[in-house]
Amino acid sequence: MARTLATHPELALVAATTGPANLVAQALCPDAAALHHYLTHRLGALDAIRTLETAPVLRTVKAAASR
């Protein structure tokens, strides 16, 4: 599933994780309507996704990049 999600241009990050979810992804959408469309039409069409949790980022205080 991670490889499939990595092909989505809306996603800036797709990573394997531990805990209640096995993947985390960061979507970059211009507005709430675009996010809703992505969640309902693109992700909602994937049978492998059973649950989904969103948390919009309101402000970024610090971001790091690898070299």
Side-chain angles (χ1 to χ4, degrees), residues 1-3 5-8 11-16 23-26:
M1 178 53 50
R3 290 181 193 266
L5 293 178
T7 67
H8 290 200
L11 297 180
L13 168 86
V14 178
L23 292 175
V24 63
Q26 181 182 17

Side-chain angles (χ1 to χ4, degrees), residues 46-58:
L46 300 173
D47 290 334
I49 295 181
R50 296 187 182 143
T51 61
L52 178 69
E53 183 176 329
T54 63
V57 174
L58 302 178

Side-chain angles (χ1 to χ4, degrees), residues 11-63:
L11 297 180
L13 168 86
V14 178
T17 185
T18 61
N22 61 353
L23 292 175
V24 63
Q26 181 182 17
L28 301 177
C29 298
D31 54 37
L35 175 61
H36 181 266
H37 184 270
Y38 176 67
L39 296 175
T40 58
H41 290 86
R42 299 264 293 160
L43 290 182
L46 300 173
D47 290 334
I49 295 181
R50 296 187 182 143
T51 61
L52 178 69
E53 183 176 329
T54 63
V57 174
L58 302 178
R59 181 174 57 132
T60 300
V61 177
K62 179 180 179 179

